[in-house]
Amino acid sequence: MALVKAAVVVLDCAEPHKLAHFYRQLLDGELSGDASADLVEVRSADGVRIAFRRDGNATPPSWPRPESTLQAHLVLLVEDLDEAERRVVDLGGLPIETRDPAGPYEERGYADPAGHSFTLRLSLPPED
């Protein structure tokens, strides 16, 4: 029996409830924690869990600038890149990597409203 049952990615930010609202809408999930909470979590129907912790000194990551390193990065699997991109931008996300990436995946890079980077990656249907 596995000791660890699940994992939660926690992103530091100045306004956890505001950032959780962005991801709640993007993932069509449920929010746990109120506006004054220092830790707010979003859970999607598919079991994705992301939490947001208040850090009064939080500064946005500077990736993808060449002098910076990638501290953490979310990859969100989607069935339609164009539709997902429209949703991200409508919710306040920003495209940060618009060129077609080299490699085996179709993906696009974005920043959430607090500046954390994430990738939308095309999820191919399973082969029968």
Side-chain angles (χ1 to χ4, degrees), residues 41-125:
E41 185 177 308
V42 172
R43 292 180 185 213
S44 76
D46 293 340
V48 174
R49 295 171 66 183
I50 303 175
F52 310 92
R53 185 182 70 91
R54 185 178 315 279
D55 178 352
N57 296 319
T59 58
S62 56
W63 184 85
R65 290 187 292 210
E67 70 277 6
S68 301
T69 60
L70 184 61
Q71 298 168 353
H73 185 80
L74 300 174
V75 175
L76 304 175
L77 304 178
V78 299
E79 293 180 2
D80 184 322
L81 278 171
D82 292 332
E83 181 182 340
E85 179 175 87
R86 284 190 293 274
R87 182 79 171 141
V88 166
V89 171
D90 286 348
L91 293 172
L94 300 171
I96 58 174
E97 202 168 44
T98 56
R99 63 177 170 73
D100 290 332
Y105 303 108
E106 289 187 54
E107 57 186 30
R108 299 176 190 161
Y110 302 87
D112 66 26
H116 301 103
S117 63
F118 65 95
T119 297
L120 295 178
R121 180 179 292 167
L122 186 60
S123 174
L124 301 176

